[in-house]
Amino acid sequence: NAGVTQTPKFQVLKTGQSMTLQCAQDMNHEYMSWYRQDPGMGLRLIHYSVGAGITDQGEVPNGYNVSRSTTEDFPLRLLSAAPSQTSVYFCASIPFGGARGTQYFGPGTRLLVL
Amino acid sequence: GDSVVQTEGQVLPSEGDSLIVNCSYETTQYPSLFWYVQYPGEGPQLHLKAMKANDKGRNKGFEAMYRKETTSFHLEKDSVQESDSAVYFCALSAPYSGAGSYQLTFGKGTKLSVIP
């Protein structure tokens, strides 16, 4: 199993550009989520999904869009990038019935918005 | 809402020193408690956990006791090594219904830099 994979590893955008951060897992996990990590702020939940076709907002959803058409994939879309979205983004997954709180994180995507 | 407060910033023990990283939590629920560790260039990974009061999580010489009476989950180690250097996050998961029960609330992280 590859676990949770994320692409790209690093991206530079200009203000106003759009892009999609990819996340995939091959563990057949139902629950998937996106976090952003900023210095001194810890990890903050952006969006999450409990299964294909079902998504919901987390703590900091503004400026981001998600969809979940398959169990494996959970892309995060930036509709119009802003410098405040410069961050490191992590995708994570959990199997339903798995130990609560035991999330499997991907390696992250580092995003710089100029 | 739920919150986690932990030792802020960076701690700089020397190799062989003892370590305590403080973690306090606040929630109206009965949570499970976790420490996650993040090495440079990687995503966080589960380090240890405690699912109920008076449980002790253990991993690689680290320990943390779930103390409900003081709402704390401090991370301790008797003798740190250079290889322990990483960022450590305290987190809680509260038993809300549905998907809420899978969500984690994280502290802001503590960077441990062990001096060789």
Side-chain angles (χ1 to χ4, degrees):
Chain A
N1 284 352
V4 179
T5 58
Q6 294 183 237
T7 56
K9 292 188 188 304
F10 181 70
Q11 183 72 45
V12 179
L13 289 179
K14 294 181 180 178
T15 297
Q17 287 185 317
S18 63
M19 80 160 293
T20 299
L21 282 65
Q22 301 292 345
C23 174
Q25 52 90 10
D26 60 358
M27 299 173 284
N28 205 32
H29 289 175
E30 294 87 350
Y31 180 94
M32 296 184 74
S33 55
W34 277 101
Y35 292 88
R36 60 177 289 172
Q37 182 178 20
D38 302 292
M41 298 295 291
L43 291 143
R44 293 182 291 170
L45 183 65
I46 305 171
H47 285 285
Y48 64 94
S49 168
V50 300
I54 306 169
T55 64
D56 207 345
Q57 296 180 352
E59 179 186 355
V60 288
N62 292 341
Y64 307 95
N65 200 1
V66 292
S67 60
R68 183 105 178 263
S69 56
T70 66
T71 300
E72 293 78 18
D73 300 300
F74 190 43
L76 178 73
R77 296 181 186 85
L78 280 69
L79 307 173
S80 177
S84 60
Q85 294 178 303
T86 293
S87 187
V88 183
Y89 292 86
F90 290 100
C91 180
S93 70
I94 308 174
F96 274 176
R100 199 177 78 228
T102 305
Q103 298 209 13
Y104 295 82
F105 283 85
T109 293
R110 187 175 299 271
L111 177 67
L112 174 63
V113 182
L114 302 174
Chain B
D2 301 337
S3 66
V4 174
V5 177
Q6 63 180 99
T7 301
E8 288 194 7
Q10 187 173 10
V11 294
L12 293 156
S14 296
E15 207 162 28
D17 284 352
S18 62
L19 173 75
I20 297 179
V21 180
N22 290 330
C23 173
S24 297
Y25 66 90
E26 187 172 319
T27 177
T28 59
Q29 306 292 316
Y30 189 156
S32 299
L33 300 173
F34 308 86
W35 279 98
Y36 275 76
V37 61
Q38 183 180 28
Y39 298 102
E42 299 182 7
Q45 57 186 275
L46 181 64
H47 188 50
L48 54 83
K49 65 183 178 184
M51 306 306 283
K52 62 182 188 298
N54 301 319
D55 276 357
K56 182 179 281 189
R58 295 183 176 90
N59 187 26
K60 297 181 180 178
F62 287 86
E63 293 184 344
M65 173 71 82
Y66 185 166
R67 299 190 187 278
K68 191 169 186 289
E69 65 278 10
T70 55
T71 61
S72 65
F73 192 54
H74 304 322
L75 182 67
E76 301 183 29
K77 190 173 186 184
D78 286 340
S79 176
V80 294
Q81 303 170 7
E82 190 178 359
S83 58
D84 295 328
S85 296
V87 178
Y88 292 80
F89 294 95
C90 186
L92 72 82
S93 175
Y96 297 109
S97 61
S101 68
Y102 287 86
Q103 291 178 18
L104 283 167
T105 298
F106 286 91
K108 294 183 178 181
T110 304
K111 184 174 184 179
L112 173 64
S113 300
V114 180
I115 301 169

